[in-house]
Amino acid sequence: MASPYEFRGKGSITLTLMMIELLKGRRKLREISSDLGITPQGASIYIKNLQKLGYVDSESTPTREGIAFLQQMLADISLFVEQAYRDSGIISSCEAIAGDDLKKGENVYLEMVDGLLYAFKKGSSGSQGIVTFSASKGDPVEVSKIRGIIKYRPGNLFIVRVDFDGYTSAGFRKLGEFHKEKQINFTGAFGVLAYKFCQRASLDVSIFAPVEGCIEASVKGLNSLLVYSPEMSRFLFKKLSENVDKYKINPKFTEL
């Protein structure tokens, strides 16, 4: 038998809504059924079920057990909604850089520029929103009531393995040339050897959360390069497996 705390269980959502209605105080069954979009007979059945579960008493007043049930259900639903928003990438508000002088309440178009989200008065983006407060061009601004999908093309994520045998002037030169050829915007070094390799190739490199940084950069439309050391291989593939499906990325493993 399904747990009553499993909000996706049969009738659990309606039981939760019924509990919320009963917490509003004494109301006629007809009013409750109208608000819930069910028949008075259906509402009566749900109340009887709540009484059998011990969630309301004979006067249809929520009990301590009923309040605990409601709290757990609301917590489960909140967690589900939070995960759904995160997994689907859907947002209702966001921060952006004002691409123009913007006024509160103004409609704006959201566009990704060099990995950063901008809000413009005019645009061809499929995503629009409303400015929450006035902001000058170049300042951060909050955009709410977002609708549509931001149109942008994900960048490439190149992954290069380096080793001690290649730690030579020729190896440094090849890495630098590859970086220039692929127009890399963000470089991450995973491992000490990888960091020194990038440093000798005169690359501006990040050593903090390099895998995650490269993934995020490519997701936001930038070309990223992840250079890793042999000893970091097992950690690299674990991190990639955790994020490839989530962010729909396609890493390109490359040899110099």
Side-chain angles (χ1 to χ4, degrees):
M1 181 177 179
S3 167
Y5 294 107
E6 174 54 61
F7 82 91
R8 284 167 291 188
K10 185 177 180 180
S12 293
I13 290 293
T14 306
L15 287 176
T16 302
L17 295 174
M18 182 64 72
M19 286 290 297
I20 293 173
E21 291 297 323
L22 293 175
L23 280 172
K24 294 179 181 179
R26 291 184 176 276
R27 301 176 65 209
K28 294 181 179 180
L29 194 62
R30 176 172 48 80
E31 295 174 336
I32 294 176
S33 62
S34 177
D35 287 347
L36 296 181
I38 59 178
T39 64
Q41 293 83 357
S44 177
I45 292 174
Y46 276 108
I47 289 177
K48 289 179 180 179
N49 287 338
L50 287 171
Q51 290 174 340
K52 290 180 181 179
L53 290 168
Y55 295 159
V56 299
D57 59 22
S58 59
E59 299 296 323
S60 296
T61 300
T63 63
R64 184 169 61 181
E65 291 77 10
I67 297 299
F69 161 76
L70 180 59
Q71 290 175 328
Q72 183 63 52
M73 286 292 294
L74 293 178
D76 289 347
I77 293 172
S78 295
L79 179 60
F80 172 78
V81 172
E82 180 182 337
Q83 291 176 337
Y85 268 109
R86 183 173 64 248
D87 294 342
S88 64
I90 295 175
I91 56 175
S92 58
S93 64
C94 70
E95 299 173 349
I97 296 175
D100 301 291
D101 290 334
L102 304 175
K103 294 182 179 180
K104 178 180 179 180
E106 194 168 19
N107 186 77
V108 291
Y109 293 82
L110 296 171
E111 295 184 15
M112 194 72 73
V113 180
D114 294 331
L116 292 172
L117 193 61
Y118 278 76
F120 296 98
K121 290 183 178 181
K122 298 180 180 180
S124 57
S125 170
S127 182
Q128 301 178 47
I130 303 298
V131 176
T132 304
F133 51 81
S134 298
S136 299
K137 182 177 180 179
D139 285 341
V141 66
E142 183 179 60
V143 180
S144 61
K145 299 181 180 179
I146 295 175
R147 56 196 185 279
I149 300 174
I150 299 173
K151 294 180 180 179
Y152 72 98
R153 179 177 296 178
N156 293 306
L157 170 55
F158 297 99
I159 300 179
V160 172
R161 179 180 183 273
V162 294
D163 53 38
F164 284 103
D165 290 338
Y167 194 75
T168 62
S169 297
F172 308 147
R173 185 182 68 255
K174 288 181 180 179
L175 182 60
E177 291 174 347
F178 180 84
H179 187 278
K180 183 177 181 180
E181 176 190 348
K182 299 301 181 181
Q183 299 180 321
I184 301 300
N185 306 108
F186 181 88
T187 304
F190 198 30
V192 174
L193 173 60
Y195 168 65
K196 294 304 296 184
F197 216 103
C198 291
Q199 191 179 56
R200 292 295 298 273
S202 300
L203 303 183
D204 184 13
V205 62
S206 173
I207 60 174
F208 302 108
V211 180
E212 293 82 356
C214 286
I215 290 174
E216 184 171 355
S218 63
V219 168
K220 292 185 176 180
L222 301 179
N223 289 331
S224 61
L225 170 62
L226 177 63
V227 182
Y228 74 98
S229 306
E231 69 171 14
M232 306 306 290
S233 296
R234 63 183 185 278
F235 303 111
L236 168 65
F237 290 106
K238 182 177 184 298
K239 288 177 178 291
L240 286 177
S241 64
E242 293 172 347
N243 290 283
V244 167
D245 291 335
K246 180 179 179 181
Y247 292 105
K248 304 296 187 295
I249 58 175
N250 182 28
K252 295 177 172 60
F253 287 85
T254 307
E255 292 185 2
L256 296 178

